[in-house]
Structures are given as C-alpha cells and as structure tokens.
Amino acid sequence: MPRRRNPVNEKQRAAQERYRARLRDIRRPEAPRVDGAVAAAFAVALARVRGTGERSAALETIIADSKALLIDAGYAPNEAVRKLMSRLLYRDDLEPLDAATRKRSGPSS
C-alpha cells in the first residue's frame, strides 16, 4: 500500500518528480539503471568467458573486489558470495542480454 504524502516533504518530492521528468524527456538514465546495465553487461561478459572454458584475471579480480566491498560493508562472506553468484551466474535473462549486447547499432542520437 503506498504511503500517504507527507506535507513536510512535499517540496522536495515535487522537485524530485520534476527532475525525473526532465531526465525522461532527455532520455538520460538515472544512476541505478546505469548500475544495473553495468552489472548485466558484466554477467554477459563472464558467461562468454566461461563458455570458452578460459579464465579472465580481470573478471576474477572484479568479482573478488566486489566480494571484498560487500564484506567491508558488513555483509557475511557466504551471503555476499551467494548473492554475487546469483547476480552473475544464475540469471534467467542471460540469453536476451547476450543478444541485446551483440546488436550493433550506429551512433546514438
């Protein structure tokens, strides 16, 4: 159930709504969408490397650093690894993501 609007926060909420509308108008993604795209692209790259049977020191370093950052943020090591693996290896959307990243389009307008 949505929360009721708090009149104290209304000015900031309205400003945020205008800001997001401007971003949509100019088709600029917000940071969480960019973060998600980077994570998805990384998962695709990892799947491609794993598909060749080879290893990538760069990708392994990124995974290790991601795990270290999560642990440093206070998460349990086993839970950090579990979530990393679910986001990187066990995604249901790897095929469509792979297809989308293989599309070659001209410069964006």
Side-chain angles (χ1 to χ4, degrees):
M1 173 190 267
R3 292 185 299 175
R4 291 186 178 161
R5 289 183 177 172
N6 182 341
V8 174
N9 299 329
E10 188 60 24
K11 185 176 178 181
Q12 177 60 36
R13 188 210 56 77
Q16 184 68 21
E17 193 172 285
R18 288 190 303 276
Y19 168 74
R20 287 187 167 150
R22 282 194 307 274
L23 290 181
R24 281 191 303 276
D25 288 346
I26 62 174
R27 300 181 59 181
R28 178 180 296 160
E30 291 189 56
R33 182 63 181 108
V34 172
D35 295 346
V38 171
F42 184 85
V44 168
L46 182 61
R48 288 177 185 161
V49 168
R50 288 173 52 95
T52 67
E54 296 180 13
R55 298 179 70 158
S56 168
L59 296 181
E60 289 175 14
T61 298
I62 293 169
I63 294 169
D65 289 349
S66 298
K67 176 185 170 188
L69 290 169
L70 290 168
I71 293 169
D72 190 57
Y75 295 101
N78 61 323
E79 294 300 329
V81 169
R82 179 181 292 178
K83 191 54 146 181
L84 277 170
M85 294 304 101
S86 73
R87 294 293 291 142
L88 298 176
L89 300 177
Y90 310 121
R91 293 180 65 124
D92 293 335
D93 58 353
L94 278 175
E95 278 188 39
L97 289 172
D98 184 53
T101 59
R102 290 184 186 275
K103 289 181 188 173
R104 298 294 181 227
S105 59
S108 60
S109 41

